[in-house]
Amino acid sequence: MEVVGRRPHAVWMCVFLTLLLFINDAHSFYLPGVAPQDFVKGDLLKVKVNKLTSVKTQLPYSYYSLPYCKPEKIVDSAENLGEVLRGDRIENSPYVFKMREPQMCNVVCNVTLNAKEAKEFKEKIDDEYRVNMILDNLPLVVPYKRPDMDSLFYQHGFPVGMKGQYAGRTEEKYFIHNHLAFTVKYHKDEETDAARIVGFEVKPFSVKHDYEGKWDDKTRLTTCDPHAKRTVTSSETPQEVEDNKEIIFTYDVEFQESEVKWASRWDTYLYMADDQIHWFSIVNSLMIVLFLSGMVAMIMLRTLYRDISKYNQLETQEEAQEETGWKLVHGDVFRPPTNSDLLCVYVGTGIQFFGMILVTMIFAALGFLSPSNRGGIMTAMLLLWVFMGIFAGYAAARLYKMFKGTEWKKITFQTAFMFPGIVFAIFFVLNALIWGEASSGAVPFGTMFVLVLLWFGISVPLVFVGSYVGFKKPAIEDPVKTNKIPRQIPEQAWYMNPFFSILIGGILPFGAVFIELFFILTSIWLHQFYYIFGFLFLVFIILIITCAEISIVLCYFQLCSEDYLWWWRSYLTSGSSALYLFLYAAFYFFTKLNITKPVSGILYFGYMLIGSYAFFVLTGTIGFYACFWFTRLIYSSVKID
């Protein structure tokens, strides 16, 4: 937690490096830790420890928050902004290997627990916490074999311990995993003696070590002895966690040559047996798009073409007055809506979001933001959001000037502060709750200061620059003149009720993405890697098309029923998909997660509220611009006296 508070220069270094990622050539610049490293026999391999994680509490803790064996001096590894926000705390460990030199029963240290320490271990075992470690930028995994499958699958990190009973007893005891059997897989270069690490696995054991005499540096264990070639097995007596119990931590290291090359070493970590579901998701989304595209094509090619031809052939005013439909509201369709300032702010913010997500997905799909670069995606998104402020200001100012607005500084100020301010307020409250739990997931003061500095120092000025440029441009001209007196809107059918049509409009955009949403939620809340950015990019394109088309279809029906109040409804129609996203998040919480602590539940719904709010702004803006283009197109195509 205090890491970044002590070292703000590390955060600025990460900002600088992330900027370099975007402006340097991919072949000439490597991210720290991503470039391959060669090791010859006997080279030191330093294992790093990361946070303790639990899917039950969602609250990460520093490795050394438990009384594990410590090195002489704990050194914090340099972290980027994304890692800090994720709660990663990467530090050195007392585990030291030598390349291709197996070790058996190395003693790390012995610890005698007091009552408080024993209680902390028990609580972490109850909450199913897992210990995460890193070697050569590869996370530690525990291999498992599923009964229904031949292939292995991997779980990240090993459990702190387990609960169990002795044979013939009913009392439940706590046991700690104090012996780790590491396996380091390497790929050897055929021409040289050098090798690269391609796998880092562990099998954890709980064993009550025995020894003779008093404990000192030369004490030999009787339960685990390299001289007698005695290794730890699962049949040993397990090590209990109790007050005043002595625990001896030991480890083995085995090296295995592997055919896997360094470039493919993440493939086993990222293997997914259910990729067919993703194809089903794409096909499902494409069916929705084809259905909507058919409707839009029918409206544009048949109905609209017929309407425009008929309107343009009318010769007398009397004939025109007899007509009904969307042409009748031409004098009101471009009348500025109520709360037009707020609409400008949300459209500008939506453009900022759209630019951030589009660029992030392109970089991720090209492989720049791979899982090997921990925190890279979050850092990139944060920086892109800041720099996309210039487009937010420009879009808001252009729309504001079209609505005959004159106070461009006021609209700029609202664009720069409204959405980030709401998100920051929710984030601050959630962070205070995490801080109250003494979790490493709490963002320290130093990082908070950097976030505020990025917001006020870069984002806000860029919003003002974009707004100034946008307001200097000539105002967007309406294709038809607006009447001075608003036309009365006739009584609408029940299915054209704004509330009903807005709710209906959000179903299809959500339906296009909800299967992929399941995998995204799983990666975030069940601590799994999400890496199929090609699929995600395709789903994002489908989402854009779906939002645009459903908004156009419902906007056309609305105008045909002589209701010209389309501005806000076009935004809310596709934006209402965020409501379904939040409802799905609630469904996921009760069906897939096993969160028990109230604070963890508040954190989940707080973060999902932020996510749904962002989704509302994004999809609403897409729908608005689609309708904006559509109405200008159809009203510029008819002759109006």
Side-chain angles (χ1 to χ4, degrees), residues 508-527:
L508 289 180
F510 171 75
V513 300
F514 87 96
I515 295 176
E516 208 61 35
L517 182 66
F518 170 81
F519 292 100
I520 294 171
L521 291 178
T522 301
S523 71
I524 294 170
W525 299 106
L526 295 181
H527 305 148

Side-chain angles (χ1 to χ4, degrees), residues 468-537:
Y468 178 79
V469 173
F471 203 76
K472 282 289 181 187
K473 291 260 185 182
I476 300 168
E477 293 293 330
D478 296 331
V480 288
K481 290 181 181 178
T482 301
N483 296 334
K484 290 182 181 178
I485 301 171
R487 179 189 177 89
Q488 189 173 357
I489 299 170
E491 190 175 341
Q492 301 292 301
W494 65 270
Y495 52 84
M496 289 309 297
N497 179 280
F499 185 76
F500 179 77
S501 63
I502 286 168
L503 284 181
I504 290 296
I507 293 174
L508 289 180
F510 171 75
V513 300
F514 87 96
I515 295 176
E516 208 61 35
L517 182 66
F518 170 81
F519 292 100
I520 294 171
L521 291 178
T522 301
S523 71
I524 294 170
W525 299 106
L526 295 181
H527 305 148
Q528 296 179 12
F529 283 117
Y530 186 89
Y531 67 97
I532 37 177
F533 296 109
F535 274 111
L536 188 61
F537 187 69

Side-chain angles (χ1 to χ4, degrees), residues 11-26 29 31-32 80 363 368-369 373 376 379-388 454 458 462:
V11 178
W12 283 112
M13 181 58 71
C14 104
V15 171
F16 176 69
L17 289 174
T18 311
L19 286 175
L20 281 177
L21 167 64
F22 295 128
I23 61 177
N24 273 277
D25 185 78
F29 182 78
L31 286 168
N80 61 43
F363 274 96
F368 286 113
L369 303 174
N373 176 28
T379 308
M381 288 178 76
L382 200 58
L383 290 171
L384 281 168
W385 166 264
V386 166
F387 289 109
M388 288 291 167
L454 287 171
I458 301 176
L462 284 176

Side-chain angles (χ1 to χ4, degrees), residues 32-75:
V34 178
Q37 192 171 355
D38 294 315
F39 299 95
V40 295
K41 190 172 183 181
D43 277 356
L44 282 179
L45 304 177
K46 294 179 180 177
V47 177
K48 295 179 181 179
V49 291
N50 199 352
K51 60 190 175 185
L52 307 172
T53 55
S54 164
V55 295
K56 284 184 75 174
T57 69
Q58 301 296 334
L59 294 167
Y61 286 91
S62 164
Y63 177 81
Y64 294 113
S65 64
L66 288 179
Y68 280 117
C69 303
K70 295 180 174 67
E72 290 181 10
K73 184 184 177 184
I74 297 173
V75 180

Side-chain angles (χ1 to χ4, degrees), residues 471-613:
F471 203 76
K472 282 289 181 187
K473 291 260 185 182
I476 300 168
E477 293 293 330
D478 296 331
V480 288
K481 290 181 181 178
T482 301
N483 296 334
K484 290 182 181 178
I485 301 171
R487 179 189 177 89
Q488 189 173 357
I489 299 170
E491 190 175 341
Q492 301 292 301
W494 65 270
Y495 52 84
M496 289 309 297
N497 179 280
F499 185 76
F500 179 77
S501 63
I502 286 168
L503 284 181
I504 290 296
I507 293 174
L508 289 180
F510 171 75
V513 300
F514 87 96
I515 295 176
E516 208 61 35
L517 182 66
F518 170 81
F519 292 100
I520 294 171
L521 291 178
T522 301
S523 71
I524 294 170
W525 299 106
L526 295 181
H527 305 148
Q528 296 179 12
F529 283 117
Y530 186 89
Y531 67 97
I532 37 177
F533 296 109
F535 274 111
L536 188 61
F537 187 69
L538 196 54
V539 169
F540 180 60
I541 298 298
I542 290 169
L543 175 68
I544 294 170
I545 297 169
T546 310
C547 287
E549 290 184 340
I550 192 67
S551 296
I552 288 172
V553 168
L554 293 179
C555 181
Y556 175 73
F557 291 153
Q558 180 186 348
L559 293 174
C560 284
S561 62
E562 299 175 31
D563 181 356
Y564 53 82
L565 303 175
W566 64 273
W567 296 96
W568 271 109
R569 203 189 293 193
S570 65
Y571 196 99
L572 297 172
T573 295
S574 51
S576 65
S577 56
L579 173 65
Y580 297 103
L581 188 150
F582 189 77
L583 292 174
Y584 181 78
F587 171 77
Y588 185 87
F589 178 85
F590 291 110
T591 57
K592 296 292 179 185
L593 299 181
N594 190 24
I595 289 175
T596 51
K597 286 191 175 183
V599 169
S600 304
I602 293 168
L603 287 179
Y604 176 85
F605 284 104
Y607 284 126
M608 291 314 302
L609 182 64
I610 292 174
S612 301
Y613 185 32

